[in-house]
Amino acid sequence: MACFEEKLIKRHFSYLNLPFGGHRKVIYQANSPQKYTLVKCNQVRFNSTAPPVETIGFLANIWQSISNSTPVAYVQQSLVDIHDFTGLPWWSSIVISTILFRSVVTLPLTVYQHEITARLEKIALEMPAIVNELKKEANLAMKTFKWTEQQTKMLRKQWKTLIIRENCHPAKTFIVLWGQIPLWIFQSVALRNLVNMLPDPTSLQAQIVVTEMTIGGFGWIPNLTEVDSSYILPVTLGIINLAIIEVQSMIRTRPPTRFQKFVTNIFRGLSLLMVPIACTVPSALTVYWVTSSCYGLTQNLLLMSPTARRAFRITKTPSELENPYKHLWLRVKQRTGYEGATLISQTTKSTVKENKMEGDKCRKE
């Protein structure tokens, strides 16, 4: 009677329409340096065709530490559980898991970041009046009580009470990066581990997952363990990432600062750099990266809407556009050379005028 492990292997290989017999050897070579042979009663013999992995250099140590880390292990097991629960092909499982993870982690952080930015904008409207008042008090104190410059500096620290009152420290505007970058790294490494049967190539589950990934693709990439030789997904990834950056740039109602221009150009360069990188990694990672970028673009477009911002309880600010999508479309026309530049300038001028009036109102209050 065949043992339990042989039945399990036979069940999966019959699902994959691959030959399996009690005395017939089934040889499978994944997109990895390992080559293994399946024989009866779960006898798995590995014939390594590559030298053993050695940690050479600082970067290799970092990569190995991340690959074997606990967060990556949790994400890796979650991907397998989602695939087993849904019963969908692996490309669909990657898409669903990406949407799920980003909805749970990055969407709440993005909403919170928008709220912090709105509070900082309100504080900026109050600051001119407070600064003028502090200057008057400082000058009066120096003349009346002969305070020193060191003592008058204590008065100028009162502006910090605004940040404490609104609970909006500027460092919190980077909270999305604190959540999104680790999630992106952990899920990318987890998918890479699944493709390469890491961290334990002798695990039966790892072998089954790799086998399913070889037929779990779609369209022009049936094998998710291979690169996208058509370069469709890598180019799509670059276009979507550039679209995210340009949307954020065009939706601004104020001229960008020098630092904002510098950061925008840096992200443009990184978006272009991701294209050749995506051409060299397994398609499973490229599917994840494209899905994550699509989610990011959709999320940014959604949070531009005043209705969506009120639904997420984001504070309304003077710089918030009533018709952001119309404004964005006009900016696209302006960049592509179509008519509409006059309307854009009028919209921008009216927005700046409204901001100034709102600021004057806040100062009077």
Side-chain angles (χ1 to χ4, degrees):
M1 182 176 61
C3 62
F4 173 76
E5 290 83 357
E6 182 179 356
K7 291 181 180 179
L8 182 61
I9 297 175
K10 183 182 296 184
R11 177 171 62 85
H12 280 276
F13 274 80
S14 62
Y15 164 74
L16 299 173
N17 295 324
L18 296 177
F20 185 87
H23 299 281
R24 182 185 301 174
K25 296 182 179 179
V26 179
I27 300 177
Y28 172 76
Q29 183 174 4
N31 187 21
S32 63
Q34 286 83 16
K35 183 191 299 182
Y36 61 90
T37 304
L38 295 177
V39 295
K40 61 182 299 185
C41 285
N42 193 29
Q43 296 177 1
V44 182
R45 183 174 66 253
F46 279 83
N47 301 320
S48 178
T49 59
V53 179
E54 298 179 357
T55 55
I56 50 175
F58 180 69
L59 294 178
N61 291 331
I62 293 179
W63 169 256
Q64 187 175 12
S65 299
I66 296 176
S67 179
N68 297 329
S69 63
T70 301
V72 170
Y74 278 119
V75 174
Q76 187 171 338
Q77 186 59 43
S78 299
L79 292 172
V80 176
D81 292 340
I82 291 173
H83 170 71
D84 293 340
F85 177 77
T86 59
L88 296 173
W90 261 105
W91 74 268
S92 300
S93 300
I94 294 173
V95 172
I96 291 176
S97 61
T98 303
I99 296 175
L100 178 62
F101 291 157
R102 292 211 54 167
S103 298
V104 172
V105 178
T106 61
L107 179 59
L109 293 179
T110 304
V111 172
Y112 184 67
Q113 182 190 43
H114 279 262
E115 175 62 20
I116 294 298
T117 305
R119 293 178 185 178
L120 287 173
E121 184 174 341
K122 291 184 64 177
I123 288 179
L125 295 176
E126 298 181 26
M127 280 303 299
I130 293 177
V131 170
N132 292 332
E133 184 178 353
L134 288 177
K135 286 182 178 179
K136 293 179 181 179
E137 292 180 1
N139 293 331
L140 180 61
M142 292 180 67
K143 292 179 180 179
T144 306
F145 304 104
K146 297 182 180 181
W147 284 11
T148 62
E149 184 68 21
Q150 186 67 23
Q151 289 173 315
T152 57
K153 287 182 179 180
M154 297 177 62
L155 289 174
R156 297 186 176 92
K157 293 181 180 180
Q158 292 183 8
W159 69 272
K160 294 182 179 179
T161 58
L162 291 174
I163 294 178
I164 297 175
R165 185 193 70 188
E166 299 292 340
N167 190 21
C168 57
H169 194 280
K172 292 183 179 181
T173 57
F174 299 98
I175 193 171
V176 175
L177 297 179
W178 301 346
Q180 183 172 342
I181 292 179
L183 176 63
W184 188 87
I185 293 175
F186 293 152
Q187 191 166 352
S188 297
V189 176
L191 286 170
R192 189 74 182 228
N193 285 353
L194 291 175
V195 171
N196 293 328
M197 295 189 297
L198 296 175
D200 183 14
T202 62
S203 171
L204 179 62
Q205 183 187 52
Q207 299 163 16
I208 293 174
V209 167
V210 169
T211 306
E212 292 175 341
M213 277 192 172
T214 57
I215 61 169
F218 63 94
W220 65 94
I221 45 173
N223 189 349
L224 293 178
T225 63
E226 297 179 351
V227 299
D228 183 7
S229 57
S230 66
Y231 304 132
I232 295 178
L233 286 181
V235 173
T236 303
L237 175 66
I239 293 174
I240 296 175
N241 286 337
L242 286 176
I244 294 174
I245 298 170
E246 298 307 321
V247 165
Q248 293 177 344
S249 175
M250 290 187 292
I251 201 61
R252 295 194 187 105
T253 57
R254 300 175 182 176
T257 62
R258 182 178 300 179
F259 178 74
Q260 288 176 336
K261 291 181 179 179
F262 174 76
V263 173
T264 300
N265 291 330
I266 289 294
F267 280 107
R268 284 170 179 163
L270 292 176
S271 299
L272 296 176
L273 181 62
M274 285 299 297
V275 175
I277 294 177
C279 293
T280 60
V281 299
S283 298
L285 271 76
T286 314
V287 170
Y288 162 60
W289 291 347
V290 171
T291 305
S292 180
S293 296
C294 287
Y295 187 96
L297 179 60
T298 305
Q299 175 182 271
N300 290 343
L301 293 174
L302 175 65
L303 292 179
M304 287 166 48
S305 170
T307 304
R309 294 174 70 87
R310 299 295 84 76
F312 286 112
R313 298 182 179 180
I314 299 175
T315 304
K316 186 176 182 179
T317 59
S319 64
E320 184 178 299
L321 296 173
E322 295 183 0
N323 298 308
Y325 303 115
K326 181 179 179 180
H327 175 82
L328 180 62
W329 177 242
L330 292 176
R331 291 297 300 271
V332 171
K333 284 185 176 181
Q334 184 188 37
R335 288 199 176 186
T336 54
Y338 290 98
E339 59 181 357
T342 305
L343 293 176
I344 294 173
S345 61
Q346 292 177 355
T347 304
T348 305
K349 289 180 180 178
S350 62
T351 303
V352 173
K353 185 177 180 180
E354 291 175 359
N355 293 346
K356 186 177 180 181
M357 293 175 61
E358 186 71 20
D360 295 339
K361 182 179 179 181
C362 292
R363 295 188 192 100
K364 291 180 181 179
E365 293 177 354

